[in-house]
Amino acid sequence: MRSAMLLFLLFSVLAGAMDLDLSVSVGPDYASGGWGDNLSNGILGRIDVCWKITPSFRAGAGMEASVFGSRYDTDASLSMMMPHVSAGYYLRPGATVFNPGIEVAGGLARTSLRSGGGADPASWDPFWRAGIRWDFSIGAGFRGAAGFDYSGIVAESKSGDTFGLVFTVSREVSL
Amino acid sequence: MRTLSAILAAAAVLLAAGCERNPLFFRLSADYYPVTSIGSMWEYAVEGGGSEIVTVIDQTVAGERTCYRVQSGADYDYWINESGRLEHYEDHRVIFNGYEIPLFQSWVTYLEWPLAVGSTRTDSVSSETVTQGVTIQHQWRRITTVQSITSTPDGAYGDCYLVHQDERTIDWIQTSGFFPETTVVSRNIWLAPDVGMVRKQTADSLLTLTEYTPGS
């Protein structure tokens, strides 16, 4: 009980000094490598909460989901759920038009395949992601960003790599 | 402190139990029926003695489609592997009065890619042919189910899809003295990644792959 109270106090102190960046990203996702031969291009969605440790540097956590359908008229689909931690570094924080940056992330990916009315056992594997961003203001306190990510799911025997375009809308909140 | 440790340990056990890894991307990228490389050869040991050699001979045209011709003993099979499907040219015939009568010839999907455990498909045909003044009725049905991901019983190949097929054929020559003739075959097929069929088991036969040579 005392430990929980200490944790709560620590979080409260930290939160008091926090500038958080809440972001939502979407974009197309492309399989890289033979694993996507029978699958269509995918779509990804991502929610992140990042703490702006300095104006340029941020770190946080989030959840990403990706879905790939069948390339042909079959009913195959592959879905990925990826809880992750992330970090980003931006060169011109607060710039209205051009604030380039890089983002990296790592976490676990749960991949599941469904096809023909069946489903393969889901696999949990570590994954990494790296990408570049062009961040800009879109007014009313919101910021937008566009960029691309390359990510790899480090699965057994063969990795599942993807290339994704990312479009992000974010808003900074202070706690 | 002890309670916290117990909770963390329980959480770790639960997480480990629910977070199993398996080579899903490897299976997705593997060819489980590589019949599109000319020169590929599979040599099977037949239970009880002997062997069977299966070879991809060439590309040809069957049923108005370009396909790969596969020789197995004195027989030929025709396969197409494209657009997410493995298709087989079904050539059903019956012997009547000393003549071989064609009953059904067409392309039928054999498997859909990617395979997944529990996936199932049913293919069926019903046709009638009139020959020498006699009607021959033909009914055929094949149910294909992907049962599991497993290794071959001898452990030689891993990450195999075990496919079960039930195939039923009813031929009825509709004249006096003939009754519907029903043939039922059940088979288990082990498909190994980038090798293809490594084992086939029916009620009265067992083929086991002894050598595989990929073609070009």
Side-chain angles (χ1 to χ4, degrees), chain B residues 142-186:
Chain B
R142 182 176 61 211
I143 301 171
T144 303
T145 307
V146 179
Q147 289 194 324
S148 62
I149 299 164
T150 184
S151 298
T152 49
D154 60 5
Y157 297 93
D159 290 311
C160 295
Y161 280 105
L162 172 56
V163 175
H164 179 80
Q165 287 185 328
D166 286 313
E167 194 168 329
R168 188 190 69 187
T169 308
I170 303 173
D171 291 327
W172 187 12
I173 300 169
Q174 295 178 331
T175 186
S176 59
F178 288 91
F179 298 95
E181 187 181 299
T182 302
T183 310
V184 177
V185 178
S186 290

Side-chain angles (χ1 to χ4, degrees), chain B residues 7-8 11 15 42 50 58 81-82 101 115 119-121 155 157 167 174 190 207:
Chain B
I7 290 170
L8 286 174
L15 201 64
W42 297 260
D58 57 10
N81 194 358
E82 62 185 26
I101 312 297
L115 298 176
S119 63
T120 185
R121 61 171 298 111
Y157 297 93
E167 194 168 329
Q174 295 178 331
W190 281 257
L207 297 182

Side-chain angles (χ1 to χ4, degrees), chain A residues 73 115 119-120 124-125 154 158, chain B residues 18 20-21 29 85 114 117 161:
Chain A
D73 60 341
S115 181
D120 268 10
W124 280 92
D125 303 290
V154 190
K158 182 178 175 63
Chain B
E20 287 181 8
R21 302 183 72 189
S29 58
R85 287 189 171 82
V117 175
Y161 280 105

Side-chain angles (χ1 to χ4, degrees), chain A residues 34-35 38 72-74 76 78 80 111 113 115-126 153-158 160, chain B residues 4 15 18-29 82-85 112-120 149 159 161:
Chain A
W35 67 268
N38 293 305
Y72 309 104
D73 60 341
T74 60
L78 183 88
M80 302 169 179
T111 313
L113 170 72
S115 181
D120 268 10
S123 182
W124 280 92
D125 303 290
I153 296 176
V154 190
E156 283 182 28
S157 303
K158 182 178 175 63
Chain B
L4 185 65
L15 201 64
C19 298
E20 287 181 8
R21 302 183 72 189
N22 71 76
L24 194 148
F25 290 97
F26 171 66
R27 293 196 304 273
L28 271 172
S29 58
E82 62 185 26
S83 301
R85 287 189 171 82
E112 276 184 11
W113 310 120
L115 298 176
V117 175
S119 63
T120 185
I149 299 164
D159 290 311
Y161 280 105

